[in-house]
Amino acid sequence: MIVPNFEHQQHAHCESGVTANLLNYYKVPISEPMAFGIGAGLFFGHLPFLKINGTPGTTFRTWPGAIFKRVTQRLGITMHTEKFRTPEKAMEALDRALENHIPVGMQTSVFYLPYLPEAFRFHFNAHNLVVYGKEGNEYLVSDPVMEVATRISAEDLAKARFAKGAPEPRGFMYYVIDAPKKTDYEKAVQQGIKQTCFMMMSPPIPWFGNKAIFLLANKIKNYPKKLTQRKASLYLGNIIRMQEEIGTGGAGFRYLYAAFLQEAAEMMKRDDLQQYASELTKIGDDWRNFAYHAARQMKNRQTDLVSFDELSDLLRKCGDEEKAFFKKMEHIKW
């Protein structure tokens, strides 16, 4: 059971990469940056009351599944999505789809994916991949973060699909039922940009959007006063991991969204979007600079070491820049 002519392509981020790979298989041409932008993937959230692996939750992207759902809705693509009560039912449904030569996207835990390097295998249940075939007791996997396609045993895949913890995948899988021959990319781009601006600038609560960047900056400033040195290092380490290692992370997501704006500028012949792409690339550089100094503080590097107060200021700079950036983006004339 192998889906004929399915092409694996490596991408920067799992969900936008899966979206691009699945849609291109169905002759809907789309790049990963375009999928990320139309799907309004750029976001920020800091949830100090929600502990993940013992550290406060921080996210640099929208919630799992939202990118794929928004892209397919905005491009008029009909999808099938499903969750299951048991691994047996989930694997049976996967096999039925493969028998019909349908590539299947799914949400998994990276902890149970043995083909990933051990350093990347921890309890993170929002990793997306495509299964496009089965040979014996092994499934053929197109994981966008991998350079080449790979394989996984049925037992390991079932574990990854039913890992415990938030968000619990429950065997979630999705695939294309029907795709139109013509799609309105320009309208989808506009909708994606408008939603990204809304999600970054409009949430009234301090844990989401641009406000959350300043919330985290305040928290970092108080780490030395309220936490032990070890715990402060663990908290910083988790921020860096979410920013630089999970998918493309904070700075990488800014670069990915900038690539989307650049592609949209060329498609729609708009110089203003090209200028926004350049601005966001520079903001991404500042996020990466924050991560560099945070890593040195976490590892207690004595050379070029910055204080927690200075880290807070670096993060505030990112927040100020993004606030000004999205305020301008909100007023784009279409």
Side-chain angles (χ1 to χ4, degrees):
M1 296 189 295
I2 300 178
V3 176
N5 303 317
F6 181 84
E7 186 176 353
H8 169 79
Q9 292 288 336
Q10 186 179 24
H11 295 289
H13 172 243
C14 68
E15 189 176 338
S16 50
V18 162
T19 302
N21 283 345
L22 281 180
L23 297 195
N24 277 295
Y25 176 77
Y26 285 95
K27 310 302 181 186
V28 180
I30 190 168
S31 67
E32 183 190 13
M34 186 61 66
F36 187 77
I38 290 175
L42 193 68
F43 188 57
F44 188 83
H46 181 66
L47 305 169
F49 49 84
L50 177 64
K51 296 296 192 291
I52 300 174
N53 296 323
T55 59
T58 303
T59 180
F60 291 81
R61 52 148 291 176
T62 191
W63 50 88
I67 293 173
F68 191 84
K69 182 179 180 180
R70 293 166 182 168
V71 171
T72 53
Q73 286 179 342
R74 286 169 181 161
L75 295 180
I77 297 162
T78 305
M79 295 298 304
H80 173 83
T81 63
E82 194 170 0
K83 288 187 176 182
F84 304 88
R85 292 184 179 274
T86 67
E88 292 76 19
K89 294 291 185 183
M91 301 307 282
E92 288 171 7
L94 172 59
D95 288 349
R96 285 196 299 272
L98 294 175
E99 286 172 359
N100 290 312
H101 295 159
I102 298 173
V104 179
M106 60 186 61
Q107 182 181 332
T108 65
S109 168
V110 298
F111 186 78
Y112 296 107
L113 301 177
Y115 58 79
L116 291 176
E118 191 170 347
F120 292 99
R121 292 173 57 196
F122 66 102
H123 293 286
F124 177 72
N125 292 348
H127 185 66
N128 286 263
L129 52 84
V130 176
V131 173
Y132 67 96
K134 184 180 183 182
E135 291 182 340
N137 193 47
E138 290 186 321
Y139 287 91
L140 309 184
V141 175
S142 170
D143 190 322
V145 304
M146 301 293 289
E147 185 175 354
V148 296
T150 186
R151 293 170 177 260
I152 189 172
S153 71
E155 293 78 13
D156 285 329
L157 183 58
K159 287 180 184 178
R161 297 181 69 189
F162 277 83
K164 300 299 181 182
E168 199 166 330
R170 290 175 49 204
F172 180 62
M173 72 181 208
Y174 49 92
Y175 53 81
V176 175
I177 296 176
D178 184 57
K181 292 183 179 179
K182 292 187 69 177
T183 52
D184 189 346
Y185 288 97
E186 292 193 11
K187 181 180 179 182
V189 164
Q190 292 177 26
Q191 291 172 332
I193 290 175
K194 287 178 181 178
Q195 186 170 27
T196 300
C197 291
F198 176 81
M199 295 300 292
M200 286 298 295
M201 299 302 296
S202 298
I205 53 179
W207 307 299
F208 300 115
N210 184 257
K211 291 185 179 73
I213 299 174
F214 298 97
L215 171 66
L216 179 56
N218 290 336
K219 294 288 184 182
I220 288 174
K221 190 171 185 176
N222 288 319
Y223 279 176
K225 304 170 189 174
K226 297 188 175 182
L227 304 173
T228 64
Q229 184 176 349
R230 173 175 169 73
K231 206 162 193 179
S233 294
L234 286 174
Y235 280 23
L236 270 185
N238 186 62
I239 295 166
I240 298 164
R241 180 168 65 175
M242 297 306 293
Q243 180 177 330
E244 299 298 328
E245 294 181 9
I246 304 304
T248 54
F253 282 141
R254 272 64 189 168
Y255 297 141
L256 190 58
Y257 199 83
F260 154 68
L261 292 174
Q262 185 173 17
E263 189 174 338
E266 294 170 0
M267 178 178 67
M268 302 168 74
K269 297 180 171 53
R270 295 195 54 138
D271 293 338
D272 55 345
L273 294 183
Q274 182 66 58
Q275 178 60 37
Y276 288 134
S278 299
E279 288 183 28
L280 192 56
T281 298
K282 293 177 182 176
I283 294 173
D285 291 341
D286 286 333
W287 275 104
R288 191 137 285 170
N289 184 52
F290 161 77
Y292 167 78
H293 287 292
R296 296 190 68 81
Q297 172 60 249
M298 182 192 73
K299 295 178 180 179
N300 198 26
R301 298 286 192 254
Q302 295 305 310
T303 306
D304 197 28
L305 187 67
V306 302
S307 67
F308 281 88
D309 282 353
E310 290 171 310
L311 285 178
S312 177
D313 291 340
L314 289 174
L315 193 52
R316 282 183 169 280
K317 180 184 178 185
C318 295
D320 286 333
E321 289 172 341
E322 290 202 356
K323 186 175 182 179
F325 175 81
F326 285 109
K327 272 189 174 181
K328 287 189 293 184
M329 288 269 287
E330 281 183 314
H331 295 97
I332 290 178
K333 302 296 183 183
W334 298 106

